[in-house]
């Protein structure tokens, strides 16, 4: 018989993050509403709420069960959560207060498992797992590089752990005796498989079956997004749940049934001894499904569940680019599907419906209506303007949410920057807000294998930085959720935007190092004039740099790409040679210290050999995999200026960077994401070349850079690229305040600055940086007795008269007057 709805248990006020079902008559659930609930089955076969377990105000993210013991004849409920404490409740627990609390973890406890002998194993964002016996710490399992998302006690002395570092480890007592590589993203769930070994699931959307000796026997593919949880039925069938709204039942290596839920994230799945399946979902509901007809819910309840699933709106960009006129009508549903989970779209009148094949019942099940991807075609008003989306963003408990407006056709970074600036929030949250926007404008993923994208590349999921580097007091919303809110840190005293922190920090919810590009669009806070008097702002002598970085994550991404090249016969020759690998390793070692201790750089400097190794890789690696190398170059140019002093080496380095950014490829709009990313790192790299210690000597190499930059059609650049380009020109203008630029360099610089000021109509930060660059040029011309040509002055005056009407900010108006006075 197929699995059908047996019960829906509604009492939680937020996502149900974990469920456990140790007996046929007991369910434990944990939620972001800060509670766990014990549900018991009554004589009438229905479940009811027996105890609400609450030890604080933080999310409860994991739950497990300990069997009966003296003092707890019905056993214990074990919970872990955001406060890093493991709480143990003797059941029943009418007061809802813990009998024991286990202290030791330093961060969120996101995974729990127990054994019949009372052993508890816990996993945490602090990168460790801990084993507890008799409510005391027995072992510390230290070895993972990132958060431990999954734990499994094989017995009282052997344990498995899965981590956001993509590995699984086997432990005997406290010793790591085997590591299982294979998953390409965070490992989220583990389950024992009788007579084989164990199963694992991952954010890479795959389920792997392993022997204990480390062999991957086979892989189950079918989920179209993150797979969060696993359980095993008594008959050996595997049950999985994930971010694609489904619970899937796997039999003999195939998906036998897919149960769609009316919520994006099915966070957890558990199985009962009688074969029933329990799920916890982001729609706040615990559900029980049964293959036994006598335990099925009433026809009315089943219909209500099916209707809730069918009522889901699925953005059409998530189910493929289709023309409504090309779709078949309802008659297409008379043809059986080819496999469980197959999705078919049909046209019914003026609507498009998505249906999924349920092989267990041999029927098509409606799973939603396909709508326009942009807000279902309905605009929302905010401050008198129409937007596709207006999100609520919680920044502090007890404070009304802030509004984040966003249009689907704009760069998420622009919207995120605008939001942070408008609310005086730290720019270190830029990437977090971008990920939130991209997540919540994507809709449910149905019918195709779609993963979250790097905001720059569109490639593998953009990973967040370790929890240890998160800003103090942060209360983030989990990026694995389909929820509609992002919780930033309480911004009681945000740092000034002009001085973003060295480390951008990151989202502790992933536990994975984020390879993050630094804040390219961050506005520069130049001194603001008190009144438009000569000398209030101009000259600005200090160049800007892009030095902040997460070096270890950058290194991990680079090595990941290298391994991918090495593993393929057709690309193996592109991988790093041993000598190159050594030089790259030394480069990362140097930069790790230089970034973390900028005032105390390493004594052993990088040499031309290190630069040559980077150039070799830039010249031969595929463009889609160049971005960590491009970003590495950005840091090398900023922190190691003596390594590329040789003119010939410097010319090769710059040529390789331009080639890596696809500079000579045809320009088109929009730019491919990989190219946009590499261009961004190219511009940042060049901005880092022109710093306080830079001297141009004859200026030939600087002129070559400016000449090359002059070949780009400005309108094709995104806003972040425009700001970075303007930063290069501003930095060159700072150099012109320290030394006399050659006439050729200055003329080229003036031409590029004026082109930006004439062309820019929307990106105020790019215009302002170019405006200040023009001011520096005019100041240097006057101070050095080298006035600009009559034509340059005339064009500049014309630009300065128009600019304040295009950008009405007071800073643009005031500095325009100041620059005009210098001409």
């Amino acid at each position: 018989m197929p699995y059908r709805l047996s019960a829906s248990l509604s009492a939680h006020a937020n996502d149900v993050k974990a469920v456990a079902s140790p007996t046929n008559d007991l369910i434990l659930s944990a939620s972001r509403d800060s509670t766990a609930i014990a549900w018991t089955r009554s004589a009438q076969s229905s479940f009811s709420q027996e105890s609400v377990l609450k030890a604080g105000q933080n999310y409860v993210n994991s739950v497990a069960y300990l069997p009966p013991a003296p003092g707890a004849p019905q056993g214990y409920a074990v919970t872990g959560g955001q406060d890093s404490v493991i709480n143990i409740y003797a059941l029943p627990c009418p007061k809802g207060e813990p009998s024991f609390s286990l202290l030791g973890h330093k961060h969120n406890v996101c995974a729990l498992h127990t054994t019949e002998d009372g052993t508890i194993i816990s996993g945490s964002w602090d990168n460790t797992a801990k084993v507890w016996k008799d409510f005391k710490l027995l072992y510390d399992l230290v070895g993972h590089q990132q958060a431990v998302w999954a734990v499994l006690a094989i017995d009282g002395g052997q344990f498995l752990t899965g981590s956001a570092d993509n590995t699984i480890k086997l432990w005997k007592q406290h010793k790591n005796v085997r590591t299982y590589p294979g998953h390409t993203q965070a490992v989220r769930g583990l389950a024992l498989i009788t007579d084989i070994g164990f199963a694992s699931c991952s954010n890479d959307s795959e389920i792997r079956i392993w022997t204990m000796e480390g062999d991957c026997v086979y892989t189950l593919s079918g989920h179209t997004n993150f797979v969060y949880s696993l359980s095993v039925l008594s008959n050996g069938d595997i049950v999985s749940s994930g971010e694609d709204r489904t619970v899937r039942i796997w039999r003999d290596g195939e998906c036998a049934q897919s149960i769609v839920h009316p919520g994006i994230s099915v966070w957890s799945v558990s199985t009962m001894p009688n074969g029933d399946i329990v799920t916890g979902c982001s729609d706040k509901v615990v559900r029980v499904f049964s293959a036994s007809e006598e335990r099925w819910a009433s026809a009315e309840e089943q219909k209500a569940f099916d209707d809730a699933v069918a009522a889901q709106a699925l953005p059409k960009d998530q189910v493929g680019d289709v023309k409504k006129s090309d779709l078949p009508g309802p008659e297409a549903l008379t043809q059986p599907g080819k496999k469980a989970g197959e999705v078919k779209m049909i046209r019914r009148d003026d609507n498009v419906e998505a249906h999924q094949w349920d092989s267990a019942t041999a029927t098509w099940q409606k799973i939603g209506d396909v709508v326009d991807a942009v807000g279902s075609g309905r605009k929302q008003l905010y401050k008198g303007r129409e937007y596709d989306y207006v999100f609520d963003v919680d920044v502090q408990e007890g404070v009304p949410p802030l509004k984040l407006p966003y249009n689907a056709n704009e760069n998420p970074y622009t919207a995120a920057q605008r939001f942070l600036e408008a609310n005086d929030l730290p720019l270190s949250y830029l990437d977090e807000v971008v990920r939130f926007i991209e997540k919540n404008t994507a809709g449910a993923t149905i019918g195709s294998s779609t993963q979250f994208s790097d905001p720059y590349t569109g490639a593998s999921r953009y990973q967040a930085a370790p929890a240890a580097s998160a800003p103090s007091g942060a209360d983030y919303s989990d990026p694995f959720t389909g929820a509609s809110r992002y919780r930033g840190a309480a911004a009681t005293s945000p740092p000034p935007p002009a001085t973003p922190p060295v480390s951008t920090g990151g989202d502790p919810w992933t536990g994975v190092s984020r390879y993050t590009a630094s804040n390219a669009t961050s506005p520069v806070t130049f001194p603001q004039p008190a009144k438009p008097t000569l000398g209030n702002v101009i000259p600005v002598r200090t160049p800007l740099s892009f030095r902040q970085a997460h070096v270890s994550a950058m290194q991990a991404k680079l090595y990941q790409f290298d391994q991918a090249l090495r593993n393929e016969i057709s690309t193996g020759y592109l991988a790093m040679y041993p000598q190159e690998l050594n030089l790259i390793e030394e480069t990362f070692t140097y930069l790790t210290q230089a970034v973390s201790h900028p005032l105390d750089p390493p004594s052993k400097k990088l040499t031309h050999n290190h630069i040559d190794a980077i150039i070799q890789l830039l010249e031969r690696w595929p463009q889609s995999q160049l971005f960590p190398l491009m970003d590495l170059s950005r840091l090398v140019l900023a922190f190691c200026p003596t390594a590329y002093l040789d003119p010939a080496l410097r010319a090769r380095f710059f040529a390789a960077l331009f080639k890596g950014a696809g500079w000579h490829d045809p320009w088109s709009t929009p730019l491919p994401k990989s190219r946009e990313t590499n261009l961004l790192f190219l511009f940042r790299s060049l901005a880092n070349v022109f710093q306080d210690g830079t001297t141009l000597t004859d200026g030939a190499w600087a002129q070559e850079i400016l000449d090359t930059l002059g070949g780009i059609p400005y309108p094709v650049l995104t806003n972040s690229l425009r700001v970075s380009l303007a930063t290069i020109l501003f930095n060159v203008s700072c150099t012109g305040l320290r030394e006399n630029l050659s006439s050729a360099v200055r003329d080229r610089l003036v031409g590029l600055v004026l082109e930006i000021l004439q062309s820019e109509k929307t990106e105020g930060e790019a215009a302002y940086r170019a405006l200040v660059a023009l001011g520096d040029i005019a100041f240097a011309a006057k101070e050095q007795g080298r006035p600009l040509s009559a034509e340059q002055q005339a064009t500049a005056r014309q630009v300065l008269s128009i600019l304040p009407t295009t950008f009405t900010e007071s800073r643009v108006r005031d500095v325009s007057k100041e620059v005009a006075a210098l001409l």
Side-chain angles (χ1 to χ4, degrees):
M1 296 292 286
Y3 276 87
R4 292 189 180 278
L5 182 70
S6 174
S8 295
L9 312 181
S10 299
H12 284 295
N14 210 324
D15 293 41
V16 179
K17 288 301 300 289
V19 292
S21 50
T23 73
N24 295 334
D25 301 319
L26 174 65
I27 295 173
L28 301 174
S29 59
S31 170
R32 284 192 178 149
D33 63 8
S34 76
T35 71
I37 295 178
W39 309 81
T40 56
R41 193 192 300 266
S42 66
Q44 291 75 30
S45 295
S46 61
F47 282 91
S48 59
Q49 179 179 313
E50 180 185 57
S51 304
V52 177
L53 314 175
K54 184 179 177 72
Q57 300 301 318
N58 294 296
Y59 295 166
V60 184
N61 294 316
S62 51
V63 69
Y65 175 78
L66 282 175
Q74 295 185 31
Y76 293 97
V78 185
T79 67
Q82 198 178 26
D83 59 4
S84 76
V85 178
I86 300 169
N87 289 302
I88 300 169
Y89 304 82
L91 298 174
C93 189
K95 293 184 178 180
E97 297 177 355
S99 304
F100 304 94
S101 293
L102 308 183
L103 307 178
H105 280 297
K106 298 178 181 178
H107 222 310
N108 176 50
V109 179
C110 53
L112 288 169
H113 192 248
T114 59
T115 65
E116 288 294 323
D117 69 355
T119 301
I120 302 170
I121 181 171
S122 55
S124 169
W125 293 350
D126 62 13
N127 302 354
T128 72
K130 296 182 186 295
V131 179
W132 314 80
K133 188 66 182 293
D134 299 326
F135 309 129
K136 296 178 182 178
L137 181 64
L138 185 61
Y139 306 124
D140 253 324
L141 309 185
V142 179
H144 282 294
Q145 301 303 306
Q146 300 295 342
V148 178
W149 274 104
V151 293
L152 180 65
I154 301 171
D155 53 42
Q158 293 189 94
F159 314 96
L160 286 167
T161 57
S163 170
D165 64 12
N166 306 348
T167 69
I168 302 162
K169 291 183 182 292
L170 174 65
W171 308 80
K172 289 191 176 179
Q173 296 181 340
H174 64 283
K175 294 181 180 180
N176 176 208
V177 296
R178 182 169 288 117
T179 298
Y180 306 80
H183 282 295
T184 59
Q185 294 191 41
V187 179
R188 300 301 294 271
L190 296 165
L192 282 177
I193 305 292
T194 305
D195 299 329
I196 298 179
F198 66 94
S200 62
C201 64
S202 166
N203 284 358
D204 62 14
S205 78
E206 290 193 340
I207 300 164
R208 290 176 175 249
I209 313 302
W210 307 81
T211 65
M212 287 298 179
E213 289 69 35
D215 297 318
C216 181
V217 182
Y218 58 92
T219 298
L220 303 177
S221 299
H223 279 285
T224 60
N225 216 309
F226 303 157
V227 188
Y228 291 134
S229 181
L230 292 173
S231 192
V232 179
L233 291 163
S234 57
N235 65 358
D237 289 355
I238 296 171
V239 186
S240 59
S241 69
E243 181 76 0
D244 58 3
R245 305 200 306 160
T246 69
V247 164
R248 296 176 187 252
I249 301 153
W250 305 86
R251 184 175 302 128
D252 300 326
E254 299 290 336
C255 181
Q257 186 177 353
S258 179
I259 305 172
V260 183
H261 283 56
I264 292 177
S265 307
V266 187
W267 289 114
S268 182
V269 64
S270 178
T271 53
M272 289 181 164
N274 64 6
D276 287 358
I277 296 171
V278 181
T279 66
C281 186
S282 58
D283 68 350
K284 313 172 189 177
V285 180
V286 178
R287 292 183 176 88
V288 183
F289 297 88
S290 181
S292 298
E293 188 171 358
E294 65 270 16
R295 291 197 295 273
W296 286 354
S298 66
E300 292 77 11
E301 290 177 280
Q302 291 191 49
K303 183 179 185 303
F305 174 75
D306 292 340
D307 290 346
V309 171
Q312 299 295 297
L314 311 179
K316 64 183 179 184
D317 61 347
Q318 296 298 305
V319 290
D321 185 13
V322 297
K323 290 176 63 178
K324 185 184 297 186
S325 59
D326 293 341
L327 293 175
E331 67 277 2
L333 300 180
T334 62
Q335 300 297 317
K338 297 178 181 178
K339 61 179 181 179
E342 177 188 351
V343 173
K344 179 178 287 187
M345 285 181 290
I346 66 164
R347 184 184 71 254
R348 193 185 299 273
D349 299 325
D350 289 331
N351 299 320
V352 176
E353 299 176 354
H355 293 256
Q356 180 173 281
W357 178 250
D358 185 346
S359 58
T361 60
T363 59
W364 289 99
Q365 177 188 11
K366 183 182 176 184
I367 58 173
D369 293 305
V370 181
V371 300
D372 289 339
V374 178
S376 303
R378 295 184 295 273
K379 292 280 188 176
Q380 300 184 56
L381 283 177
Y382 176 67
K383 291 189 175 180
R385 295 183 60 185
E386 288 188 332
Y387 291 90
D388 297 320
Y389 303 90
V390 179
F391 298 110
D392 283 332
V393 180
D394 291 327
V395 296
Q396 189 175 359
E397 293 295 336
V399 175
L402 303 176
K403 298 294 184 181
L404 195 169
Y406 174 71
N407 280 315
N409 62 356
E410 68 177 318
N411 188 323
Y413 272 81
T414 303
Q417 178 190 341
R418 181 180 63 229
F419 168 75
L420 294 174
E421 290 176 353
N423 295 285
D424 291 327
L425 294 172
L427 285 166
S428 55
Y429 295 124
L430 185 70
D431 292 305
E432 308 298 338
V433 180
V434 168
R435 187 168 61 253
F436 167 79
I437 292 173
E438 294 191 333
K439 166 71 182 198
N440 287 287
T441 56
T445 303
I446 301 294
S448 63
S449 179
T450 305
Q451 299 182 16
F452 286 93
S453 297
D454 183 314
Y456 287 107
T457 67
S460 58
R461 178 176 176 84
Y462 198 66
Q463 306 292 358
S469 62
S472 176
D475 180 33
Y476 299 82
S477 187
D478 191 333
F480 294 114
T481 178
S484 61
R485 290 196 176 189
Y486 159 86
R487 294 182 180 271
T492 53
S493 55
T499 56
V502 171
S503 172
T504 59
D507 188 339
W509 293 92
T510 66
V512 191
S513 294
R514 174 177 60 203
Y515 177 52
T516 172
S518 40
N519 296 338
T521 58
S522 303
V524 180
T525 304
F526 291 111
Q528 296 298 307
K531 55 183 179 178
T533 305
L534 181 63
N536 280 335
V537 173
I538 305 299
V540 178
R541 298 181 181 274
T542 304
L544 304 169
S545 63
F546 296 100
R547 290 171 171 250
Q548 56 266 43
H550 194 325
V551 178
S552 62
M554 184 191 304
Q555 184 177 10
K557 180 64 73 174
L558 182 63
Y559 289 174
Q560 175 190 331
F561 284 166
D562 180 67
Q563 191 62 47
L565 294 171
R566 195 179 305 278
N567 289 343
E568 292 290 336
I569 296 176
S570 60
T571 58
Y573 70 97
L574 298 174
M576 287 190 276
Y577 308 134
Q579 182 61 27
E580 289 174 336
L581 189 59
N582 290 337
L583 291 167
I584 295 297
E585 181 75 30
E586 291 174 0
T587 303
F588 277 118
T589 300
Y590 179 94
L591 291 173
T592 298
Q593 182 175 339
V595 169
S596 59
H597 301 90
L599 300 180
D600 183 26
S603 56
K604 185 179 179 181
K605 305 297 183 184
L606 299 186
T607 68
H608 66 279
N609 292 324
H610 299 90
I611 304 300
D612 186 68
I614 296 173
I615 293 172
Q616 295 286 346
L617 297 176
L618 284 170
E619 289 177 339
R620 74 171 185 264
W621 272 26
Q623 191 177 78
S624 62
Q625 294 172 306
L626 280 181
F627 71 88
L629 277 167
M630 299 288 288
D631 207 13
L632 176 65
S633 302
R634 168 181 69 90
L635 296 183
V636 168
L637 289 166
F639 289 100
C640 317
T642 59
Y644 57 92
L645 285 177
D646 177 74
L649 182 69
R650 179 173 57 202
R652 284 183 58 220
F653 197 4
F654 292 162
L657 287 170
F658 276 105
K659 180 178 180 293
W663 193 264
H664 302 294
D665 296 344
W667 297 97
S668 61
T669 303
L671 292 169
K673 275 294 182 182
S674 61
R675 189 178 183 189
E676 180 184 347
T677 302
N678 291 334
L679 282 167
L680 193 62
F681 289 135
L682 167 67
F683 287 173
R684 291 173 172 174
S685 298
L686 296 178
N688 285 347
V689 170
F690 298 98
Q691 295 298 309
D692 278 333
T694 304
T695 56
L696 303 188
T697 58
D698 64 357
W701 65 270
Q703 182 176 347
E704 185 174 353
I705 288 176
L706 295 176
D707 286 342
T708 306
L709 291 175
I712 191 171
Y714 188 78
V716 307
L717 298 181
T718 62
N719 286 348
S720 57
L721 291 174
R722 295 181 182 191
V723 173
S724 297
L725 175 60
T727 305
I728 300 171
L729 304 184
F730 164 71
N731 286 0
V732 178
S733 77
C734 294
T735 304
L737 295 171
R738 299 190 302 270
E739 63 177 283
N740 288 359
L741 302 179
S742 70
S743 296
V745 169
R746 191 181 75 168
D747 287 346
R748 196 49 159 145
L749 176 62
V750 171
L752 290 173
V753 168
L754 291 175
E755 180 184 353
I756 290 179
L757 293 175
Q758 289 174 312
S759 304
E760 189 56 70
K761 305 300 181 186
T762 58
E763 178 47 64
E765 189 59 41
Y768 186 60
R769 295 187 190 195
L771 174 62
V772 176
L774 180 61
D776 279 356
I777 295 168
F779 184 93
K782 190 169 186 177
E783 189 176 59
Q784 297 164 6
R786 300 171 60 210
L788 302 179
S789 69
E791 181 182 356
Q792 290 171 335
Q793 291 190 46
T795 303
R797 288 193 178 95
Q798 181 183 16
V799 166
L800 293 171
S801 67
I802 298 173
L803 198 64
T805 62
T806 304
F807 301 99
T808 57
E809 305 165 62
S810 59
R811 62 175 183 168
V812 173
R813 180 186 65 249
D814 295 339
V815 175
S816 294
K817 292 179 181 178
E818 187 176 344
V819 177
L822 288 166
L823 295 173

